[in-house]
Amino acid sequence: MPEILVANTDVACPALSAKQQAPVGICPISHTTSDNVREVYSETLEDESLRQALKLLAPIRKDFRLADYATSFNWDEISAEFQAQRPNYQALPSRSGALSWYAVVFRSKRRTDCNNVDLFEADRLAYQEAFTTTNGSLLVYWYTDLDDDNNCLATCVWTSRDIARSVNLLPRHREAVQLSAGSYVHYNIDRCRITWLPEEERLEVTPWTIA
């Protein structure tokens, strides 16, 4: 099942109140599925293998909140785990054609006076809604704490760009966008393609371009 992952750092996410604080790691969240989906996601060997591999997602440089996405995370380790997980899902159908996934990278500089608890709660509800309405197309949602300059990074990986874009008009997503409008000094959104290169047995991360 999809999970929300918290950056593996020594500091818990500052968006949580003391009551909400939990050990840094996987943030618990319940997941359900819905039959009311325009484009229904069905499990595949490759998607489920990557879902498991992405549980290892971790930064490999201190400036990852601002640096290039392709060089900021442990993609080599994730590539190896992707390979290792595949035998566990042989009963599932395989994806046809080239293997690629859609990643969204949200970088922001948080205002010092924003309400972090409300922002986190709106974000959590929006991603719960995304999980529910896409039947698991969202493979991972990962976020980090703030650095000393209030910079933050959140990223999510989807099986499909079209499904990812379909959640933009969902109610919880729109509420989160409205709440966050005054929460940032500035923000930037990058879109990337994660492609499996079978001859090299590794994942390649590149900017998303539409062929």
Side-chain angles (χ1 to χ4, degrees):
M1 297 294 290
E3 292 168 303
I4 293 183
L5 302 184
V6 185
N8 185 19
T9 64
D10 295 330
V11 182
C13 179
L16 297 172
S17 66
K19 183 178 180 180
Q20 294 171 305
Q21 290 285 10
V24 174
I26 297 176
C27 181
I29 188 170
S30 61
H31 303 286
T32 57
T33 58
S34 170
D35 294 328
N36 302 317
V37 184
R38 292 180 184 176
E39 181 180 350
V40 177
Y41 164 70
S42 298
E43 292 182 337
T44 69
L45 182 161
E46 294 83 8
D47 293 337
E48 296 310 307
S49 298
L50 184 60
R51 189 193 307 279
Q52 296 304 314
L54 285 169
K55 291 181 179 182
L56 301 179
L57 187 67
I60 58 175
R61 51 190 293 180
K62 291 183 178 180
D63 64 344
F64 69 93
R65 295 174 184 83
L66 303 174
D68 177 54
Y69 189 61
T71 62
S72 292
F73 291 90
N74 57 332
W75 297 113
D76 288 343
E77 183 179 6
I78 293 169
S79 296
E81 184 65 16
F82 173 73
Q83 282 281 69
Q85 288 289 337
R86 294 180 72 159
N88 299 328
Y89 298 96
Q90 292 298 322
L92 295 176
S94 292
R95 289 179 58 163
S96 59
L99 297 179
S100 68
W101 296 266
Y102 180 68
V104 179
V105 188
F106 184 84
R107 294 184 177 88
S108 63
K109 182 179 179 67
R110 197 82 55 81
R111 289 179 49 155
T112 57
D113 61 346
C114 81
N115 188 323
N116 285 320
V117 174
D118 287 352
L119 191 63
F120 173 80
E121 179 63 9
D123 198 44
R124 184 188 68 81
L125 292 173
Y127 277 92
Q128 174 70 74
E129 179 183 60
F131 284 133
T132 302
T133 58
T134 65
N135 285 6
S137 176
L138 178 51
L139 299 181
V140 70
Y141 171 52
W142 186 99
Y143 63 87
T144 182
D145 55 353
L146 305 180
D147 67 10
D148 292 341
D149 293 322
N150 271 17
N151 292 307
C152 187
L153 180 144
T155 183
C156 51
V157 179
W158 299 79
T159 63
S160 161
R161 175 178 178 268
D162 289 340
I163 294 180
R165 287 165 59 89
S166 73
V167 306
N168 290 341
L169 297 179
L170 293 176
R172 293 293 190 181
H173 183 87
R174 297 180 69 177
E175 289 173 9
V177 170
Q178 291 173 358
L179 180 63
S180 66
S183 300
Y184 305 112
V185 177
H186 56 73
Y187 67 87
N188 182 66
I189 302 176
D190 293 324
R191 286 103 177 157
C192 295
R193 186 188 302 271
I194 301 175
T195 305
W196 177 249
L197 304 178
E199 294 184 357
E200 301 178 32
E201 296 187 343
R202 69 176 180 89
L203 294 165
E204 179 184 53
V205 180
T206 57
W208 185 277
T209 57
I210 302 176

